């Protein structure tokens, strides 16, 4: 609420002309604090977790099973009751509405017409992760790439009439947002950036061959949670998801046939070709994008041995990027 007030005050009093406003909420996040009225609406709401509620975690990474043991999830008939979580989501939704209303009410592009800027204003809504809510017997978020925490909302509201209400199936990532904003603002996109501008996608273009890479490695002084150092790399492509858990069992899921990600196909003979092709894509990405943890260890998996990276490769200084 305080963050929304600051954003609204800025829109009302402090800016003139083109602007970028970032409104970043911590909620919805544990402990899911919200006004009681929001939580009370969900006191008796039973959320169906889906098939993931019954995952035995057989043939899954060891740290998933350890995580599940620690979480001690108790679901009744595959459903979870969590009024604070859903109430906090509803609370944030209302707060976002307050800010968007203020954009419509107060935004001024310098012409004196407070509604003229809406003809050239983009509103981007996204989040940094989701919530497991008991799926796969785990809670919160952490070193896993399940859809519940990795497949998050991205909604872009552009000027009126610009592909309004159109869903695009192209895979995209957070790293695509900054290049997109730069292009929308008419600013050159530095070549050092890893992402790609989504402007063509906002205009309706689809790129079904695009892949997305996700990474995780949490290690820090303050936290004793999430199993310590768990380096993970993931690539999505062709309706498949390949997850390399550097210290544990790897994963491969057919998201079309198994959207709940129950059946780990990493050793299945029918998926060897797609698995190896995606593995090559991932290694190529890590090398080209200068993943600081890149190295032969990501190649030496129990199910494959390749010869791409070398112990002593060439020196690769940072390329010129204009800065």
């Amino acid at each position: 609420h305080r963050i929304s007030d600051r954003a609204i005050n800025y829109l009302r009093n402090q800016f003139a002309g083109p602007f970028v406003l970032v409104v970043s909420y911590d909620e919805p996040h544990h402990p899911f604090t919200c006004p009681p009225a929001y939580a009370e609406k969900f006191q008796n709401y039973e959320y169906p977790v889906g098939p993931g509620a019954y995952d035995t975690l057989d043939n899954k990474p060891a740290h998933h099973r350890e995580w599940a043991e620690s979480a001690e999830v108790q679901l009744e008939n595959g459903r979870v009751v969590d009024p604070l979580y859903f109430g906090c989501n509803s609370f944030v939704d209302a707060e976002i509405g307050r800010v968007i209303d203020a954009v419509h009410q107060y935004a001024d592009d310098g012409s004196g017409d407070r509604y003229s800027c809406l003809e050239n204003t983009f509103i981007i809504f996204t989040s940094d992760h989701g919530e497991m809510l008991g799926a796969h017997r785990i809670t919160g978020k952490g070193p896993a790439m399940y859809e519940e925490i990795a497949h998050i909302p991205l909604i872009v509201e552009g000027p009126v009439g610009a592909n309004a209400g159109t869903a695009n199936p192209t895979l995209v990532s957070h790293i695509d947002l900054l290049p997109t904003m730069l292009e929308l603002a008419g600013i050159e996109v530095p070549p050092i950036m890893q992402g790609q501008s989504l402007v063509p996608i906002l205009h309706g273009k689809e790129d079904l061959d695009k892949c997305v890479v996700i990474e995780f490695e949490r290690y820090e002084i303050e936290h004793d949670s999430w199993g310590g150092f768990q380096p993970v790399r993931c690539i999505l492509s062709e309706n498949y998801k390949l997850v390399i858990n550097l210290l544990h069992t790897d994963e491969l899921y057919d998201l079309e046939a198994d959207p709940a990600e129950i059946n780990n196909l990493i050793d299945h003979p029918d998926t060897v070709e797609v698995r190896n092709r995606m593995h090559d894509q991932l290694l190529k990405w890590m090398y080209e994008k200068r993943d600081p943890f890149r190295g032969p260890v990501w190649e030496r998996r129990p199910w494959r041995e390749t010869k791409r990276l070398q112990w002593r490769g060439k020196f690769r200084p940072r390329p010129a990027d204009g800065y």
Side-chain angles (χ1 to χ4, degrees), residues 142-193:
M145 296 295 172
Y146 292 122
E147 291 289 278
E148 286 84 358
I149 50 177
H151 190 172
I152 58 174
L154 174 61
I155 301 172
V156 181
E157 180 184 6
V160 176
N163 291 303
T166 302
N168 195 310
T170 303
L171 293 171
V172 299
S173 168
H174 274 148
I175 63 173
D176 297 324
L177 291 182
L178 183 52
T180 302
M181 296 170 67
L182 290 173
E183 182 172 346
L184 289 173
I187 300 172
E188 182 180 356
V189 180
I192 194 69
M193 290 190 175

Side-chain angles (χ1 to χ4, degrees), residues 61-299:
H63 64 277
H64 289 196
R65 294 190 293 273
E66 295 162 356
W67 187 355
E69 293 172 5
S70 173
E72 298 181 340
V73 172
Q74 300 293 330
L75 298 180
E76 188 70 28
N77 297 321
R79 295 173 178 268
V80 63
V81 177
D82 195 338
L84 281 175
Y85 172 75
F86 292 103
C88 192
N89 270 275
S90 182
F91 173 49
V92 173
D93 189 52
E95 290 297 315
I96 292 171
R98 291 179 60 216
V99 176
I100 293 177
D101 286 345
V103 173
H104 287 253
Q105 183 176 0
Y106 298 118
D108 184 351
D109 65 355
S111 67
D113 180 357
R114 284 189 162 177
Y115 290 92
S116 63
C117 80
L118 296 179
E119 298 177 0
N120 194 34
T121 297
F122 287 81
I123 299 174
I124 301 173
F125 170 79
T126 188
S127 181
D128 60 338
H129 62 79
E131 162 67 43
M132 292 304 302
L133 278 180
H136 306 280
R137 296 167 44 201
I138 55 182
T139 57
K141 47 81 162 116
M145 296 295 172
Y146 292 122
E147 291 289 278
E148 286 84 358
I149 50 177
H151 190 172
I152 58 174
L154 174 61
I155 301 172
V156 181
E157 180 184 6
V160 176
N163 291 303
T166 302
N168 195 310
T170 303
L171 293 171
V172 299
S173 168
H174 274 148
I175 63 173
D176 297 324
L177 291 182
L178 183 52
T180 302
M181 296 170 67
L182 290 173
E183 182 172 346
L184 289 173
I187 300 172
E188 182 180 356
V189 180
I192 194 69
M193 290 190 175
Q194 298 177 6
Q196 300 175 350
S197 171
L198 303 179
V199 169
I201 294 174
L202 297 181
H203 292 157
K205 180 181 178 181
E206 296 182 4
D207 183 0
L208 302 184
D209 294 327
K210 185 180 178 183
C211 65
V212 163
V213 172
I214 315 173
E215 65 181 66
F216 184 99
E217 60 249 333
R218 183 189 185 108
Y219 55 101
E220 54 179 283
I221 301 299
E222 290 83 359
H223 277 274
D224 292 326
S225 56
W226 310 121
F229 182 48
Q230 300 288 350
V232 186
R233 295 292 182 275
C234 169
I235 183 169
L236 282 80
S237 179
E238 309 175 53
N239 290 320
Y240 283 89
K241 178 188 290 183
L242 174 67
V243 185
I244 306 297
N245 299 285
L246 193 60
L247 306 179
H248 300 282
T249 302
D250 299 323
E251 304 160 83
L252 179 68
Y253 301 108
D254 182 342
L255 297 180
E256 186 172 21
D258 177 29
E261 300 169 293
I262 304 297
N263 303 310
N264 184 4
L265 304 175
I266 195 65
D267 293 314
H268 199 288
D270 293 344
T271 57
V272 169
E273 183 178 349
V274 66
R275 180 198 68 192
N276 291 351
R277 182 167 64 250
M278 293 180 68
H279 189 214
D280 285 341
Q281 283 182 291
L282 177 61
L283 295 172
K284 180 180 179 182
W285 168 276
M286 294 176 70
Y287 184 70
E288 289 184 348
K289 304 302 181 182
R290 298 162 176 266
D291 187 324
F293 286 89
R294 66 187 182 273
V297 64
W298 295 94
E299 303 183 39

